[in-house]
Amino acid sequence: MAVQYDLEGQKRVYAKWAPIYDKVYVKLLADAQRKAANAAAACGPKILEVGVGTGLVLPYYPRGAQVTGIDLSFHMLQKAVEKKVERGLSQVGLLAAMDACNLGFPDESFNAVTVPFVITLVPDPEGALDEMYRVLKPGGEIIVASKLGADEGPAMHIEAALAPLVKKVGWSIAFKASRLKNWAAKYPDMEVIEISPVFPVGFFKLVRIKKKAR
């Protein structure tokens, strides 16, 4: 069955969130954002951030990096551009409106792709990951920071009960870490090398998926 997109609907939601997004998430997501940026920078200088939003992660990339950021929302991107200018973030280059499932970059363009807290919101996560794989250089990594639901045990049942509540704030707990593993298994040169908790422990996770070097 074809994936149904409502990109215009998503843009309207993000337009409403843009003015208050930083106030809500700046402290809550800081640990995961910092660790995602550091992991990406360790792979090499050329980094693509998918779902750059208001640019909360941008200050965490080191000055020697060459960061490109894309997002679906013009309103979010305006906030990211403001951060780039006001804070003198010389490591940040192009900030562009773009669909994660249709990246406008050549094959093997980036040493790392960071995906901070957006993979559960993409209508076709596997399609977006396929595009990230395409633009990723051999030896590079896709680094996903997200709320990932438990696959089994008591935590899975607790999360299922909380699902209606967290949905109201734009999160999904139905997305499991195993979904990323299953996607990576499609490619003989992709491997999940880390799934680790980040603050607050047990709620958010950092996942690193490595593309084997040739």
Side-chain angles (χ1 to χ4, degrees), residues 104-181:
F105 304 107
D107 296 353
E108 300 182 359
S109 295
F110 299 97
N111 299 109
V113 180
T114 52
V115 196
F117 300 96
V118 74
I119 195 67
T120 62
L121 304 177
V122 177
D124 180 11
E126 286 78 12
L129 288 164
D130 287 340
E131 275 289 88
M132 296 174 209
Y133 170 86
R134 180 183 66 77
V135 302
L136 183 67
K137 293 176 179 287
E141 296 181 14
I142 297 173
I143 299 151
V144 179
S146 185
K147 170 64 186 81
L148 298 174
D151 287 295
E152 58 186 13
M156 180 183 68
H157 299 292
I158 294 172
E159 289 173 347
L162 292 173
L165 177 62
V166 299
K167 186 177 181 180
K168 292 181 179 180
V169 295
W171 292 348
S172 169
I173 54 178
F175 200 107
K176 313 292 184 182
S178 58
R179 188 165 176 179
L180 295 175
K181 292 181 181 178

Side-chain angles (χ1 to χ4, degrees), residues 16 19 32 37 41 48 61 65 68-69 88 94 98 102 124 128 131 141 148 150 157 169 179 200 203 207:
K16 293 179 180 178
L48 172 65
Y61 294 107
T68 298
L94 176 68
M98 198 175 294
N102 188 22
D124 180 11
E131 275 289 88
E141 296 181 14
L148 298 174
H157 299 292
V169 295
R179 188 165 176 179
F203 197 70
V207 180

